Amino acid sequence: MKGWRRLRKLRCSTACITDSIDKCTGGINDIKGARPTVANVKVTYDKTANAAYVYFTDPEVRVKVAHMYPCDPVDVDGMINLDFDDQGRLIGIEVLAASSKLPGYLLESAERLDAEGA
């Protein structure tokens, strides 16, 4: 069974996204006062739409989304969309209601797509 099909059976939550970010940063979140960093991950943010996108691909290479898995958890006020390529690899995460779901430092350092960031 492809990875994206298995994900359909999962319910996304803020906790699962936080756990994923912790794994990507190698536990740096545990260091008091340290700001976690992840190499080669591009983040864009549109404050007007309150939407962010985290890219897990080379920002210079355009990868086509073959499958999109929407997560609309009941317990969390917001929506998260997981994008996969045709080989079942996670290529990005769209986070709606981003200001309440993602850390402020991440949104502050993201590439801005709205008029305020231009």
Side-chain angles (χ1 to χ4, degrees), residues 68-110:
M68 188 272 292
Y69 173 70
C71 299
D72 191 7
V74 175
D75 299 337
V76 182
D77 184 27
M79 184 165 195
I80 300 165
N81 296 315
L82 306 175
D83 291 337
F84 295 87
D85 67 11
D86 60 355
Q87 296 179 2
R89 291 180 296 216
L90 181 63
I91 58 172
I93 301 173
E94 179 185 33
V95 181
L96 304 178
S99 62
S100 65
K101 303 296 172 258
L102 296 173
Y105 77 88
L106 188 64
L107 299 177
E108 291 167 13
S109 62

Side-chain angles (χ1 to χ4, degrees), residues 9 22 24 30 35 45 55 63 68 71 83 85 103 108:
K9 296 179 181 179
D22 285 343
C24 289
D30 297 333
R35 294 177 74 175
Y45 178 55
Y55 295 82
V63 179
M68 188 272 292
C71 299
D83 291 337
D85 67 11
E108 291 167 13

